[in-house]
Amino acid sequence: MVGPTERLGVLGGTFDPPHIGHLVAGVNALAELSLDRVLLVVANRPWQKVGERSISPAMTRLEMVREAVAGIDGLEASDEEIIRGGDTYTIDTIDRLAASDRSLTLIVGTDAAAGLDTWHRWRELAELVDVAVVDRPGADARVPSAFHATRVEIPLLDVSSSAIRERVRDGRPIAGLVPEPVRSVIERELLYLRAG
């Protein structure tokens, strides 16, 4: 029996904005798990965040992800969920990406990993993907037992999209926390200047 011809990583998120932590997670999973490529899948309308805060337009977030991954071998921006429209559910994306000649690895952080069994149609998801939990050395990654998971250690980086939005609102620098082209989009679009 012939195995999969493509090993695809899927790193989904709101990416509002994408930052160096996302890129470090992607490149480390790519290398450590011998993936052929990693898709950074931009959520169209992340159902778990609706009503929590205002979210930048999907196409603007996609532009930032495209800028962030430009020139990084193996990382690609994906508009899969934006094209599909509506609320964003990982299982729908995995269903669309699944193929007999492809293995799928869902790349998540420890917080997301612990809550995988709260996701929409999570039992189906567990049957379709392996899970790569990216985390800092020494952390304890808990994953629901239905999922086949592998741990990928990444350097400790104290960076988050919410902290970057707060820094922009406060007028503090974000250079080094996001790729320079992402910073340019944030400035051009006047993103994150208001609370919310």
Side-chain angles (χ1 to χ4, degrees):
M1 183 174 179
V2 178
T5 58
E6 182 180 33
R7 295 172 51 81
L8 182 63
V10 178
L11 174 57
T14 308
F15 299 112
D16 197 15
H19 53 69
I20 58 167
H22 296 127
L23 302 179
V24 167
V27 296
N28 278 273
L30 182 77
E32 198 165 317
L33 302 176
S34 300
L35 302 174
D36 295 306
R37 60 192 174 117
V38 171
L39 298 181
L40 277 73
V41 182
V42 180
N44 181 59
R45 188 171 183 264
W47 66 273
Q48 289 176 314
K49 295 184 180 177
V50 170
E52 181 181 295
R53 64 172 179 85
S54 70
I55 298 169
S56 301
M59 292 307 292
T60 301
R61 292 181 285 111
L62 176 63
E63 179 187 2
M64 288 191 287
V65 172
R66 284 180 173 150
E67 294 286 0
V69 301
I72 302 177
D73 289 341
L75 297 191
E76 299 175 18
S78 171
D79 61 1
E80 167 73 32
E81 294 181 354
I82 295 170
I83 289 171
R84 194 170 60 245
D87 286 345
T88 295
Y89 297 104
T90 301
I91 185 61
D92 296 331
T93 302
I94 294 301
D95 278 342
R96 299 255 316 175
L97 293 172
S100 60
D101 62 346
R102 177 184 284 161
S103 69
L104 297 173
T105 299
L106 182 64
I107 303 166
V108 296
T110 52
D111 289 350
L116 281 170
D117 57 0
T118 68
W119 290 20
H120 185 64
R121 293 169 44 205
W122 66 270
R123 283 181 171 63
E124 293 172 57
L125 186 64
E127 293 176 8
L128 294 173
V129 298
D130 289 327
V131 174
V133 183
V134 291
D135 199 9
R136 64 191 181 278
D140 184 20
R142 298 182 191 275
V143 182
S145 60
F147 291 86
H148 176 263
T150 304
R151 189 161 176 262
V152 176
E153 284 192 2
I154 60 172
L156 174 59
L157 299 169
D158 189 14
V159 59
S160 69
S161 294
S162 59
I164 291 167
R165 293 191 302 271
E166 185 177 315
R167 291 181 73 84
V168 171
R169 261 193 313 278
D170 295 345
R172 292 179 286 160
I174 59 171
L177 300 175
V178 298
E180 188 59 23
V182 171
R183 189 188 63 76
S184 296
V185 173
I186 291 170
E187 287 186 358
R188 184 191 75 218
E189 299 294 327
L190 304 175
L191 299 176
Y192 318 128
L193 295 178
R194 283 180 273 170

